[in-house]
Amino acid sequence: MSQKTIFNLKEKLLETYDVSFDYNGISGKRLAERLGALSKIGLTEQNGSYRTGFSFEEKEAKELVMKWMKESGLSVHQDGAGNVFGRLEGKRPDVPAILSGSHVDSVPNGGHFDGPLGVLSALEVAEAWRETEFTPEKPFEVVIFSDEEGSRFHGGLNGSEAFMGSGDLDEKIKKKDTNGESFEKVLQDVGLSLESYSNAKRDLDDIETFIEIHIEQGKRLEKEELPCGIVTGIAGPHWLEYTFQGEAGHAGNTPMNDRKDALLAASEFIVKLTQIPQQINDTAVATVGKLHVEPNGVNVIPGKVTLYVDSRDIYEESRDTLVNRIIQLGEEIGISHKLSVTYKETLKSPPVPISEDRQELLEEAMKVNGIRPYRLPSGAGHDAMVLGAQIPIVMLFVKSKDGISHNPGEWSDLNDCIQTIHVLKTYIEKLQY
């Protein structure tokens, strides 16, 4: 009987690593070892990651990173939402701090880079400063936010929302996880409480900016053959729930010219909807990813279809233009098919633009490290989106192989990761003066 090959992320990362990228105190081997160690926590049979928010696995991963933080000379504390901070005071501890990090939770059977790479990249900057005996002027904090993915309660960013004092706690309290456990019970299981969570808000006067490194989860950087890119803004999602109400009928006895087929109308809506974003700009997108057909019988004309439209853009004005065009399309489809088409808004989050001057500073940091600057939008939400609503942020994306994310095939080459960390370090050092 053949033995299953033991998964070793560290060895796989180091197979093609170019050690010439190890300079100024940054170590590819150390990053590989730490990504490898985290990959063993919640490792699935498919070699994926299973560390849902506020789980014992997420807590174990945090504790391991906290150990590394302390070893690197950072002072470590955890707030009432379970968010972790490793702080280097700097020469001027009284000025606002520069924060960088991400999360260590995952979706069920997810990948090993989404989140942990951002945390360990920030920690690697602190390690590099320690090795080169460099002390920054301003305080620097490595951050781990709790439950970014939200796979447990179908709504993430819980740690960063507590940190910023945003989000609706009353709505969170109502939620149950996949095992039927309440948000309150889940917090209690990992040593937290509703009271501690609600008191986790940070004084924003103490923060200058937040920087997040994250895998791209797309193919643009791969097509450009670049290790990393500058995020121009984080798209704000807008969700519409649509109902197409026709008439159910016998598929054999109802003539084609005497039908009110809700699925036919919905299908035309979906096809035409996909043509609208490109008419607005190249950062707008619209998706129908969920659909219910009733009565859903093989020999029954569909009488009712409910579907959900996810519209996004990094600019609020064009995102809202997109939504209005989609609403207009729905009205036109209803008239042409002679059936009822109604909708209701279920989510509206503002996009988070990233300032031009900070993008330009990142461009300078990329050029210093011999990387051609490239800008791209973020269609997905991140902790940086929550922080960016109230404080300045930037994001760097790392090249993703085949754009794969949220499954065990997720991969970012170690050479690309380390080059991005050099850019991060250069950027943060430019912010010191």
Side-chain angles (χ1 to χ4, degrees):
M1 180 181 288
S2 62
Q3 246 186 342
K4 181 182 177 182
T5 304
I6 297 174
F7 178 72
N8 192 318
L9 182 63
K10 171 193 167 183
E11 288 185 3
K12 189 176 178 184
L13 282 165
L14 289 171
E15 281 176 1
T16 58
Y17 182 57
D18 183 349
V19 294
S20 68
F21 291 123
D22 280 5
Y23 59 89
N24 290 342
I26 290 174
S27 167
K29 181 180 178 183
R30 181 168 53 218
L31 179 65
E33 287 174 343
R34 288 176 171 177
L35 283 168
L38 286 177
S39 75
K40 295 175 183 177
I41 301 172
L43 185 66
T44 69
E45 291 185 0
Q46 296 78 33
N47 294 328
S49 176
Y50 200 110
R51 293 192 300 267
T52 55
F54 300 119
S55 65
F56 293 112
E57 291 81 8
E58 183 199 39
K59 184 177 181 181
E60 183 181 348
K62 288 177 183 174
E63 289 171 348
L64 180 57
V65 179
M66 289 167 72
K67 172 178 173 289
W68 294 330
M69 287 176 171
K70 291 173 184 175
E71 291 171 352
S72 70
L74 304 180
S75 60
V76 180
H77 81 277
Q78 193 167 187
D79 70 14
N83 299 317
V84 174
F85 306 89
R87 182 177 173 98
L88 177 62
E89 288 296 346
K91 295 178 182 177
R92 300 167 58 198
D94 56 322
V95 302
I98 296 168
L99 275 59
S100 183
S102 193
H103 61 97
V104 294
D105 67 303
S106 76
V107 299
N109 202 31
H112 299 292
F113 297 85
D114 179 347
L117 179 58
V119 171
L120 297 180
S121 295
L123 181 56
E124 190 59 31
V125 171
E127 292 280 15
W129 286 341
R130 181 173 66 90
E131 293 198 5
T132 57
E133 299 182 343
F134 172 84
T135 303
E137 291 288 319
K138 301 173 182 179
F140 176 65
E141 295 186 26
V142 180
V143 185
I144 308 173
F145 287 116
S146 301
D147 190 27
E148 189 267 0
E149 296 290 2
S151 55
R152 191 163 188 174
F153 291 100
H154 307 291
L157 307 167
N158 282 306
S160 51
E161 286 186 348
F163 174 82
M164 297 299 291
S166 59
D168 190 334
L169 184 58
D170 290 336
E171 286 301 313
K172 295 180 192 295
I173 292 171
K174 297 175 186 176
K175 292 185 176 182
K176 304 280 186 180
D177 71 1
T178 51
N179 295 319
E181 294 191 340
S182 69
F183 187 71
E184 181 177 15
K185 174 66 164 56
V186 167
L187 289 177
Q188 291 172 348
D189 286 346
V190 289
L192 304 172
S193 68
L194 288 177
E195 182 180 6
S196 71
Y197 179 91
S198 62
N199 292 330
K201 184 181 185 303
R202 181 78 170 263
D203 185 349
L204 302 185
D205 290 337
D206 293 339
I207 302 169
E208 176 183 326
T209 187
F210 175 69
I211 308 128
E212 183 169 6
I213 283 182
H214 202 281
I215 60 170
E216 181 192 352
Q217 303 173 289
K219 301 179 183 179
R220 298 189 192 206
L221 292 170
E222 189 173 50
K223 290 176 180 177
E224 294 289 331
E225 297 182 345
L226 289 169
C228 58
I230 299 163
V231 175
T232 55
I234 304 172
H238 185 286
W239 292 356
L240 292 172
E241 178 186 299
Y242 259 92
T243 301
F244 292 76
Q245 184 67 60
E247 290 181 4
H250 195 288
N253 290 332
T254 309
M256 298 301 292
N257 62 356
D258 191 27
R259 298 184 177 202
K260 291 185 178 180
D261 188 328
L263 182 56
L264 179 62
S267 299
E268 183 179 339
F269 174 79
I270 293 169
V271 171
K272 289 185 175 179
L273 174 148
T274 61
Q275 300 166 4
I276 297 175
Q278 59 194 352
Q279 298 169 10
I280 295 172
N281 63 38
D282 59 4
T283 56
V285 293
T287 306
V288 175
K290 186 176 181 181
L291 180 146
H292 300 290
V293 180
E294 299 177 41
N296 206 29
V298 174
N299 61 345
V300 183
I301 298 165
K304 181 180 178 181
V305 171
T306 305
L307 59 81
Y308 300 83
V309 182
D310 180 321
S311 304
R312 302 184 186 220
D313 199 0
I314 62 173
Y315 308 109
E316 189 161 19
E317 183 177 353
S318 54
R319 194 276 308 272
D320 291 346
T321 298
L322 170 62
V323 171
N324 289 334
R325 293 277 298 277
I326 290 170
I327 291 171
Q328 182 183 350
L329 172 64
E331 293 172 350
E332 293 170 355
I333 294 291
I335 292 170
S336 65
H337 286 264
K338 299 179 181 179
L339 46 73
S340 169
V341 178
T342 57
Y343 69 89
K344 64 180 179 180
E345 182 180 278
T346 60
L347 175 69
K348 185 177 183 180
S349 298
V352 178
I354 295 174
S355 69
E356 182 66 26
D357 60 336
R358 291 180 182 273
Q359 291 184 53
E360 289 176 357
L361 195 60
L362 274 175
E363 282 202 0
E364 292 176 20
M366 292 182 77
K367 289 175 182 176
V368 166
N369 289 280
I371 302 169
R372 173 171 61 87
Y374 179 77
R375 302 188 187 195
L376 69 167
S378 172
H382 305 281
D383 289 313
M385 177 178 69
V386 176
L387 274 68
Q390 298 184 62
I391 63 172
I393 58 134
V394 297
M395 286 193 75
L396 279 167
F397 275 169
V398 181
K399 181 169 66 179
S400 295
K401 187 179 187 304
D402 298 326
I404 295 171
S405 182
H406 283 189
N407 82 49
E410 182 179 279
W411 185 260
S412 286
D413 189 82
L414 184 58
N415 293 313
D416 297 328
C417 296
I418 291 296
Q419 288 182 80
T420 308
I421 295 172
H422 280 293
V423 175
L424 173 67
K425 178 174 176 289
T426 301
Y427 176 79
I428 294 172
E429 290 170 358
K430 284 180 176 290
L431 293 177
Q432 300 302 311
Y433 307 101

